[in-house]
DNA sequence: TACATATTGTACCTATCGGTACATTCAAGG
DNA sequence: CCTTGAATGTACCGATAGGTACAATATGTA
């Protein structure tokens, strides 16, 4: 067994730091402070420095969603896939207590640095959700709109919940988003 | 007439810098570069430095929404108030080409610095919108939920549009949000 | 024109930024 | 053991961060 750190162990801690302070607000000294790892270790695991650290975090998030959300959405029945997605979303974002790092990075200049990863994450999410809704009987157009509205609703709920410092706001919004995707043919 | 700068002239330029780089990513040198004003002028108008600059920008945004959105919402007929809000939203966010600084600040550590202002902005927005919907015949509960969903939808649409680098995505989402508020009694 | 005030440019300060170099320590395999 | 390579701590680098001090300049008014 290893006592020393492994790259994979560090990534969740890095993610928390970036989530807390944003990309620009995250300094190496803050990373050291939160992870207990000096620059020596940090640059050993991530020779590309801060940018590679953030990149690794994004890739890790991407993997998690691919495994826990996107793939189930496409492989299981639409009902199970959707149920799994909402459960995963509530769990991952800790009922509104944790923000989406990908969304946060998208808003400022950090986006340019990770444009491909950010667009890929949201593209595959809305894509998988659209496909699922079509399989559930929605028309192509309605499914695409509804998928975007769901994903964007989650992001907006995270913004609003954090702005108002009220995580319950996230839970309530997610309940309504989930309900909206359950009616097979949209009434509007 | 004055040739030298006035505080009010600087604020929109400051807003653009903060929008582009975020609070932490905005350095004094970048502000100087974009505004053409040296540290002398900057600290003359904003003795509190960067924090006061961002604070002034937030207050300016707040004023604009108060004047152009919240007040009309409460003073005019619900139909006119709502129509005005959607027009103002499309215009202000430049059809998805411009993000909401208040929402961006809410997501990272910057929130703690401006917590009151950020919560106030979103609180007054959802509050005015709730009141308007009640006046339009919605039940209290449905109005409150719908108001939150609309505001959060706008924020999420900005995130998604920027993430996908597709401003049209914002316009489409706003069309649907507007339509959803138009049906007096929600079908669900 | 002369004065008072508002505005601006220059020089400088300390702290910290991201990053590098490298010697040291550690764990495991032969 | 002893070697080897992964992992780490320490010291350091130039650049830039936010901020201050203050002299110089511009402006409106008497």
């Amino acid at each position: 067994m290893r006592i020393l750190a492994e790259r994979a162990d560090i990534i969740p801690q890095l993610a928390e730091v970036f989530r807390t302070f944003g990309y620009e607000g995250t300094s190496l000294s803050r990373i050291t402070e939160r992870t207990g790892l000096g620059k020596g270790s940090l640059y050993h695991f991530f020779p590309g420095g801060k940018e590679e650290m953030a990149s690794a975090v994004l890739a890790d998030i991407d993997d998690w969603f691919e495994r826990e959300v996107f793939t189930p959405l496409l492989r299981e029945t639409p009902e199970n896939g959707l149920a799994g997605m909402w459960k995963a979303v509530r769990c991952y974002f800790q009922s509104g207590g944790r923000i989406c790092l990908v969304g946060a990075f998208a808003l400022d200049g950090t986006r340019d640095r990770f444009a491909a990863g950010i667009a890929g994450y949201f593209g595959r999410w809305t894509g998988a959700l659209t496909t699922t809704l079509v399989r559930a009987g929605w028309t192509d157009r309605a499914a695409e709109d509804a998928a975007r509205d769901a994903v964007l609703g989650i992001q907006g709920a995270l913004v609003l919940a954090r702005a108002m410092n009220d995580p319950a706001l996230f839970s309530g919004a997610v309940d309504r988003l989930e309900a909206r995707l359950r009616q097979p043919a949209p009434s509007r």
Side-chain angles (χ1 to χ4, degrees), chain A residues 2 6 17 20-21 40 46 49 73 83 91-92 99 102 114 122 124 131 160 171 175 185:
Chain A
R2 358 186 93 260
E6 284 197 38
V17 185
T20 306
F21 301 106
F46 308 96
L73 227 30
C91 165
Y92 185 84
I99 63 144
V102 193
F114 307 106
F122 284 111
R124 268 173 299 115
T131 302
L160 197 59
S171 299
D175 288 345

Side-chain angles (χ1 to χ4, degrees), chain A residues 14-169:
Chain A
L14 284 176
E16 278 317 304
V17 185
F18 281 119
R19 244 185 276 270
T20 306
F21 301 106
Y23 182 78
E24 295 290 347
T26 296
S27 66
L28 284 244
S29 66
R30 273 211 254 244
I31 294 176
T32 291
E33 181 182 301
R34 296 258 174 152
T35 61
L37 266 58
K39 290 187 183 185
S41 308
L42 257 11
Y43 275 83
H44 172 69
F45 292 119
F46 308 96
K50 197 167 100 161
E51 179 154 355
E52 188 176 339
M53 297 177 210
S55 200
V57 168
L58 287 180
D60 188 62
I61 294 172
D62 216 271
D63 284 351
W64 193 92
F65 274 83
E66 191 71 53
R67 187 170 5 97
E68 303 289 330
V69 179
F70 310 158
T71 299
L73 227 30
L74 295 174
R75 287 239 231 277
E76 299 184 22
T77 63
E79 304 82 63
N80 287 346
L82 285 170
M85 177 182 101
W86 292 113
K87 188 179 170 192
V89 162
R90 277 178 238 266
C91 165
Y92 185 84
F93 296 117
Q94 294 172 1
S95 306
R98 186 203 234 185
I99 63 144
C100 176
L101 191 61
V102 193
F105 277 8
L107 281 184
D108 63 28
T110 309
R111 190 205 52 171
D112 303 332
R113 221 184 270 264
F114 307 106
I118 293 170
Y121 170 83
F122 284 111
R124 268 173 299 115
W125 194 347
T126 54
L129 193 48
T130 300
T131 302
T132 303
L133 291 176
V134 169
R135 284 200 299 142
W138 296 54
T139 66
D140 288 3
R141 177 61 194 276
E144 189 171 12
D145 286 348
R148 282 177 182 161
D149 286 348
V151 172
L152 120 209
I154 292 166
Q155 295 297 312
L158 291 169
V159 171
L160 197 59
R162 235 188 100 80
M164 305 288 289
N165 198 23
D166 179 10
L169 219 146

